[in-house]
Amino acid sequence: MVESYDEALNFIHGRTKFKKSKHLNRMQKFLELLGDPQREISAIHVAGTNGKGSTVAYLRDLLMAQGYTVGTFTSPFLVRFNERISVDGKPISDSELVKLVNRVQPTVADLDANYPEGGPTEFEIITAMMFLYFKTRVDVAVVEVGIGGLLDSTNVFTPAVSVITTIGFDHMKILGNTLPEIAAQKAGIIKLAVPVVAGRLPDSAMQVVERTADSNQSALYRLGHEVTTRIKSETGWQEKFDYQFNDQLFKGLKISMLGDYQVDNASCALTAFILYQKQHHQKVNQSEVARSLAKTTWAGRFEPLNQDPLIVIDGAHNEPAIEELTALLKQRFSDNEIYILFGVLADKQHDKMLSTLRTVPNLHVILTTFQGPGTRAVTDPKELANQYQDDQRIEVIDNWQLAIGTVLQRMSAEDLFLITGSLYFISDVRAFFKEP
């Protein structure tokens, strides 16, 4: 028995982080011993290299606007662990978390002692706790995949709709080194006769998704094909677009998260929502949809922390996300000097990420370091800077708090200060700015 919140977290975080496996047998056995709570949940499953969190947030708000009680399962967390398991946007309470740990602990001990592969990992335990918590509390859950899809511990239920937001290079050690290999993992969430929504995927990845959907007799709705959007030029802190899917036409939808990729995320969410409503013989109210999308926010995704001067954080923690971010900077901030503070984990493509950022013309980059999670190493900023000795726009300040102070002294009121890289780094920075 654990008595306190800290003990509960220590139990969860004390588990093995990752065990390579070619199947989900251990997770399925774990859930079977807990009464198979995943079978009693109506849910939408969201996979993708990037865009999962924002898509989950748009879906949550769309569903809540219809009066549903909505559970969301996301990772990682930005401020507190409890955010990962939330109902109607409110994180699980400390006391409920303690109860859930006590509920699963005997089963974990049983599997540790008796299951051939040993007991469940940290993420398997959190996933099982989520299913138990949502079983009696929510009308619908929006479940974000941890890594990949096919062998992810969330991939143990039949969703109402599957969503694959984007496919790019990340977690290659686990998912494979080519886009088709990565796509095969993501497409693993496609289930027999369950409709699939796909974002703008590279051709080689889309072909894998199309084949998988076809073999599962699953209707596939692709952004740019069955679903179309038209982005309208917009000023201020918003994007505006038209959206069409079948007989549903929405003109002048607005979202408060910047970037063409956020229009894609909102469109994936809206398509999944329309499909969900259709399955449940419910109408789609256009004005409620417009209101809901306009108010959705997702912490740490091009989130302004301060307006004057403009300070923004963005958890662009892999190369595909940096590409999207770079396009946004060129499109919306071409008239501003841009100061970037960049810190990233060592297992990411940091050299490619930096070389992409360097294509922004009006740029000043400070490389820094931060306290990584557990034993995961952080990129050495000096080593990274050495690759670009001829670029005067790049410098190193190891202490990120000192780096923030330095940039604030240098920048003018018209400049943009963007702090980006690992979500763990962004979490620390956000706490630094938001602390009373």
Side-chain angles (χ1 to χ4, degrees):
M1 285 276 291
V2 302
E3 303 288 335
S4 70
Y5 174 72
D6 286 340
E7 279 179 56
L9 279 193
N10 287 341
F11 168 73
I12 293 166
H13 295 325
R15 299 296 300 183
T16 313
K17 295 284 181 257
F18 185 74
K19 288 181 186 173
K20 193 135 182 146
S21 179
K22 291 193 166 78
H23 51 72
L24 289 166
N25 297 0
R26 182 180 56 243
M27 185 67 197
Q28 283 157 340
K29 182 66 180 172
F30 184 24
L31 288 168
E32 183 191 318
L33 294 171
L34 293 169
D36 279 326
Q38 79 284 5
R39 294 193 176 160
E40 297 175 50
I41 288 168
S42 173
I44 296 170
H45 206 183
V46 182
T49 304
N50 292 311
K52 294 190 294 289
S54 302
T55 302
V56 167
Y58 286 122
L59 263 167
R60 175 199 65 208
D61 290 351
L62 284 163
L63 291 160
M64 280 175 65
Q66 297 299 312
Y68 294 111
T69 300
V70 185
T72 51
F73 183 60
T74 54
S75 57
F77 62 93
L78 206 61
V79 181
R80 281 191 96 219
F81 175 85
N82 306 42
E83 295 162 32
R84 298 181 70 164
I85 302 173
S86 295
V87 174
D88 286 351
K90 293 186 185 66
I92 185 173
S93 69
D94 294 359
S95 60
E96 288 290 351
L97 199 73
V98 169
K99 273 190 212 165
L100 281 171
V101 165
N102 284 325
R103 169 86 173 78
V104 302
Q105 230 178 6
T107 308
V108 171
D110 177 8
L111 289 167
D112 280 347
N114 301 310
Y115 195 69
E117 292 181 1
T121 64
E122 176 181 4
F123 189 67
E124 286 168 348
I125 288 169
I126 300 164
T127 304
M129 285 166 51
M130 171 270 294
F131 285 128
L132 284 169
Y133 189 66
F134 287 166
K135 183 176 101 167
T136 56
R137 282 178 179 80
V138 307
D139 301 314
V140 53
V142 187
V143 176
E144 179 187 318
V145 167
I147 292 176
L150 181 66
L151 298 173
D152 187 73
S153 61
T154 62
N155 197 28
V156 287
F157 68 100
T158 302
V161 186
S162 306
V163 183
I164 301 170
T165 56
T166 58
I167 291 176
F169 289 106
D170 198 14
H171 301 296
M172 280 92 80
K173 281 184 183 158
I174 301 167
L175 303 180
N177 291 313
T178 68
L179 286 179
E181 283 176 321
I182 295 169
Q185 293 296 317
K186 309 279 185 203
I189 69 164
I190 296 173
K191 303 291 191 302
L192 190 65
V194 172
V196 188
V197 179
R200 290 181 207 282
L201 310 184
D203 288 345
S204 62
M206 186 64 93
Q207 284 163 14
V208 174
V209 171
E210 287 167 350
R211 280 199 302 274
T212 312
D214 192 46
S215 65
N216 280 283
Q217 295 154 12
S218 302
L220 176 61
Y221 304 100
R222 301 162 298 170
L223 219 51
H225 297 270
E226 294 76 17
V227 181
T228 56
T229 58
R230 192 166 68 88
I231 297 175
K232 301 179 162 187
S233 61
E234 196 50 60
T235 54
W237 208 271
Q238 62 178 14
E239 300 288 352
K240 190 174 177 183
F241 65 104
D242 297 338
Y243 166 98
Q244 178 140 26
F245 172 45
N246 293 339
D247 57 347
Q248 298 274 357
L249 172 64
F250 294 80
K251 281 190 169 281
L253 289 173
K254 291 176 182 172
I255 54 173
S256 63
M257 292 198 265
L258 289 193
D260 292 358
Y261 53 96
Q262 287 297 1
V263 173
D264 287 351
N265 294 336
S267 301
C268 282
L270 179 51
T271 308
F273 168 71
I274 291 168
L275 290 167
Y276 187 85
Q277 288 294 85
K278 189 177 170 190
Q279 280 178 26
H280 292 79
H281 310 290
Q282 298 293 319
K283 287 194 171 73
V284 172
N285 181 307
Q286 290 227 349
S287 57
E288 277 175 3
V289 163
R291 261 198 307 275
S292 156
L293 291 177
K295 73 179 178 63
T296 299
T297 58
W298 189 237
R301 304 317 194 275
F302 215 79
E303 178 189 9
L305 297 182
N306 194 70
Q307 288 296 343
D308 193 13
L310 182 54
I311 304 170
V312 175
I313 55 171
D314 190 272
H317 61 288
N318 53 34
E319 164 63 8
I322 286 286
E323 285 174 9
E324 298 282 18
L325 180 61
T326 300
L328 171 61
L329 293 174
K330 289 175 177 175
Q331 193 180 342
R332 296 294 281 263
F333 297 93
S334 57
D335 295 339
N336 307 65
E337 287 296 306
I338 300 172
Y339 290 84
I340 293 185
L341 181 60
F342 182 63
V344 70
L345 292 171
D347 58 5
K348 300 295 179 177
Q349 296 175 295
H350 39 78
D351 44 351
K352 277 192 178 174
M353 293 165 83
L354 183 55
S355 71
T356 301
L357 282 173
R358 286 174 69 231
T359 64
V360 178
N362 38 340
L363 190 70
H364 313 270
V365 182
I366 295 176
L367 304 177
T368 193
T369 188
F370 60 98
Q371 184 62 50
T375 56
R376 287 180 73 183
V378 174
T379 297
D380 182 333
K382 292 188 183 69
E383 272 183 32
L384 186 53
N386 283 342
Q387 297 175 39
Y388 302 99
Q389 284 174 327
D390 56 338
D391 191 337
Q392 302 303 307
R393 303 173 304 164
I394 295 173
E395 64 181 297
V396 173
I397 301 178
D398 279 329
N399 180 312
W400 62 261
Q401 292 97 330
L402 179 62
I404 287 172
T406 304
V407 172
L408 291 175
Q409 284 177 332
R410 288 182 194 169
M411 68 187 291
S412 75
E414 289 74 47
D415 300 341
L416 165 67
F417 181 13
L418 172 64
I419 304 165
T420 190
S422 165
L423 285 163
Y424 298 99
F425 174 42
I426 295 310
S427 174
D428 290 347
V429 171
R430 195 171 188 273
F432 175 76
F433 275 93
K434 296 275 185 184
E435 273 167 10

